[in-house]
Amino acid sequence: MAGLGLAACTSTTPGLASTSSGSQSSAATSTAAIDNGAPKVATPKNLKAIADPCQLLAPQQLQELGASNPSTKQSPWGEKYCDWLNDNLGVAVAPDTTQGRGLANLYANRKADSEETTIHGHPGLRYNKAGMSCALGVGVSDTQAFTVSLTVRRDAKPEYKDRCAFAEKVAGMVLSNLPPAN
């Protein structure tokens, strides 16, 4: 599995670059950014509304993705996440509703090869793009985020070839299942 991105962001990890002081100072003065340069979320959703992380994707979405065999695991920040693993694909969706920093932890430890993206109007950051894997962090609100860690074990579907685009598809499905924040 590509690993849980926000897990790596809860502490200083060797090999992870932190943002430069330039981007930190621009974050402090910009109304479009929060901690560590993470973009603000214009239309927040409520990730806490779905307590079971394996329910973040509906059965028909899992079938469309080709994901199966769910298991619940514990993240380093103490929150449950769901992992679907079969012969073709490994997908983990890890909510972060406890640290209260949204994408800021991920932005604090971003590497030079990470890429900003937008999924259904929500800010995201692609990272850990190596070989068969891609990870993606998505800001649900300024205080909540989730990661999608994707590993293609066998190219059973043509859409598996672009790992990061497929991770964004998974993230879009999760976002479509979340209610708006109050």
Side-chain angles (χ1 to χ4, degrees):
M1 192 55 41
L4 295 176
L6 294 175
C9 300
T10 58
S11 64
T12 304
T13 304
L16 292 180
S18 62
T19 56
S20 70
S21 60
S23 65
Q24 287 175 343
S25 63
S26 65
T29 59
S30 172
T31 59
I34 55 176
D35 289 338
N36 301 311
K40 290 186 77 51
V41 176
T43 55
K45 294 198 173 238
N46 183 4
L47 189 56
K48 282 187 177 185
I50 300 179
D52 179 354
C54 291
Q55 299 300 312
L56 289 168
L57 291 167
Q60 68 271 18
Q61 292 171 321
L62 292 167
Q63 185 176 16
E64 179 183 335
L65 295 171
S68 59
N69 304 322
S71 65
T72 304
K73 299 180 179 169
Q74 191 83 6
S75 70
W77 56 91
E79 199 160 358
K80 290 181 183 178
Y81 71 93
C82 195
D83 190 18
W84 294 269
L85 184 62
N86 61 37
D87 291 341
N88 299 325
L89 187 66
V91 178
V93 178
D96 178 4
T97 63
T98 59
Q99 296 185 87
R101 295 180 38 91
L103 284 178
N105 287 338
L106 194 55
Y107 268 73
N109 294 295
R110 71 186 286 186
K111 293 181 180 180
D113 68 343
S114 64
E115 297 174 327
E116 293 181 352
T117 188
T118 303
I119 302 97
H120 294 244
H122 288 261
L125 189 68
R126 291 177 170 188
Y127 61 99
N128 288 348
K129 303 171 289 177
M132 304 296 277
S133 302
C134 185
L136 172 69
V138 180
V140 175
S141 72
D142 293 340
T143 60
Q144 298 179 11
F146 68 88
T147 59
V148 173
S149 296
L150 174 77
T151 301
V152 173
R153 302 173 80 182
R154 187 173 55 198
D155 283 329
K157 292 184 169 197
E159 65 185 332
Y160 288 178
K161 293 199 183 299
D162 185 342
R163 282 69 161 124
C164 289
F166 195 71
E168 287 190 15
K169 178 179 181 171
V170 173
M173 289 176 167
V174 171
L175 285 167
S176 71
N177 296 332
L178 300 177
N182 293 334

